[in-house]
Amino acid sequence: MRLTLLGTGNAGQVPVYNCHCAACRRARRDTRYRRGPCCALVEHEGQRWLVDSGLMDLAERFPPHSLSGIVQTHYHPDHAQGLLHLRWGQGLCVPVLGPPDPVGLADLYLHPGILDFSKSLRPFETVQLGSLSVTAVPLAHSKLTYGYVFTGGKVCFAYLTDTLGLPPETRDYLRQRRLDLVALDCSFAPQPHLPRNHNDLTRALETLEQLRFKHAVLTHVGHGLDAWFIANPHALPDGVSIARDGDLFEYAMASTV
């Protein structure tokens, strides 16, 4: 099973327009440090599912029939804006799984085109996609948002963005699992007060302390956190890293946890 982090930035991405902080200056000099909208690709035994669709070049990245479908965490623009263009394709039907959001984004439901929004997931519902199983776990965000647990054979990934901590029922569900990989929202540098809607580094590490995992990667990263890591390059504990666009995590069928 394989997870590719296609984008690892928050809504502002990196570099931020007209920002001259250390992280934004670095990203303009070196494209390796740029961050696009937060999204990922999960692949397992012929299944290829895009997780969120904030990238605006989906039609160029994914030729026709190259995706099994799309799994949406929620319908904020930075996670769904790419659907506004993709829907106008022809001769295809692309399933889009996600939370039961009556509003969605803009007029996507009214004019879905090739996108099929007919399957909404209930909290903790598991669906079988070939040999890949996907479970929706509620997160703590400003609108109904799901994280997802992907299981193929004995390999298990958790993809958890956007969230501030975890709801107790989600935390308890995840603690019952041995996770090979956790991709967790961490948008801000350590804050003196509780942030809104997204983890800062303090809350992200507190969340990870409650889970059992082999490796964790911090995603949905803002430029302020990148700048903080420039000044504090050794702040992360063993087994935790900060994501970069294009990071690839690949695991054999047998879990190593």
Side-chain angles (χ1 to χ4, degrees):
M1 195 158 70
R2 179 161 64 179
L3 176 73
T4 306
L5 300 178
L6 303 177
T8 60
N10 66 357
Q13 305 176 52
V14 182
V16 173
Y17 184 62
N18 200 38
C19 178
H20 302 285
C21 73
C24 290
R25 293 198 309 269
R26 180 181 66 176
R28 292 189 184 97
R29 292 193 308 267
D30 188 340
T31 59
R32 292 177 300 172
Y33 295 100
R34 290 179 175 264
R35 297 188 184 276
C38 194
C39 63
L41 181 69
V42 175
E43 300 172 273
H44 181 65
E45 294 188 345
Q47 295 288 321
R48 301 182 80 234
W49 286 83
L50 185 66
V51 186
D52 281 340
S53 47
L55 295 168
M56 297 299 291
D57 60 349
L58 295 179
E60 289 72 38
R61 286 177 181 253
F62 298 104
H65 306 290
S66 64
L67 282 177
S68 304
I70 299 169
V71 181
Q72 285 292 137
T73 62
H74 64 305
Y75 287 95
H76 277 153
D78 57 314
H79 293 260
Q81 61 196 358
L83 297 177
L84 294 170
H85 175 228
L86 190 67
R87 62 176 165 173
W88 300 120
Q90 298 183 18
L92 295 169
C93 180
V94 180
V96 183
L97 311 180
D101 184 336
V103 177
L105 173 65
D107 63 348
L108 277 172
Y109 293 164
L110 184 62
H111 302 290
I114 66 171
L115 305 176
D116 179 5
F117 294 102
S118 62
K119 174 61 175 175
S120 294
L121 301 176
R122 299 183 303 275
F124 301 104
E125 179 180 1
T126 298
V127 293
Q128 199 69 34
L129 307 171
S131 59
L132 177 69
S133 71
V134 182
T135 302
V137 293
L139 299 180
H141 197 44
S142 57
K143 67 185 308 182
L144 180 57
T145 300
Y146 287 157
Y148 291 99
V149 177
F150 298 93
T151 305
K154 295 183 179 180
V155 181
C156 190
F157 298 162
Y159 188 85
L160 309 171
T161 183
D162 302 19
T163 193
L164 175 57
L166 294 173
E169 61 274 20
T170 295
R171 178 199 61 212
D172 293 344
Y173 177 87
L174 293 172
R175 288 178 68 175
Q176 298 173 30
R177 278 141 186 84
R178 294 181 177 181
L179 302 167
D180 291 276
L181 180 68
V182 179
L184 178 64
D185 181 296
C186 186
S187 296
F188 307 117
Q191 303 289 301
H193 305 292
L194 189 69
R196 294 179 59 238
N197 289 327
H198 298 277
N199 289 324
D200 66 350
L201 180 59
T202 301
R203 279 72 186 186
L205 294 180
E206 288 175 353
T207 298
L208 290 174
E209 287 176 356
Q210 303 172 58
L211 306 179
R212 296 189 299 166
F213 60 90
K214 178 186 177 185
H215 185 75
V217 60
L218 305 178
T219 189
H220 206 276
V221 175
H223 68 138
L225 180 57
D226 270 342
W228 189 87
F229 274 119
I230 290 174
N232 300 272
H234 305 297
L236 292 178
D238 291 343
V240 181
S241 62
I242 188 166
R244 296 288 173 204
D245 287 18
D247 279 355
L248 171 65
F249 301 89
E250 189 165 14
Y251 292 81
M253 289 295 291
S255 171
T256 53
V257 174

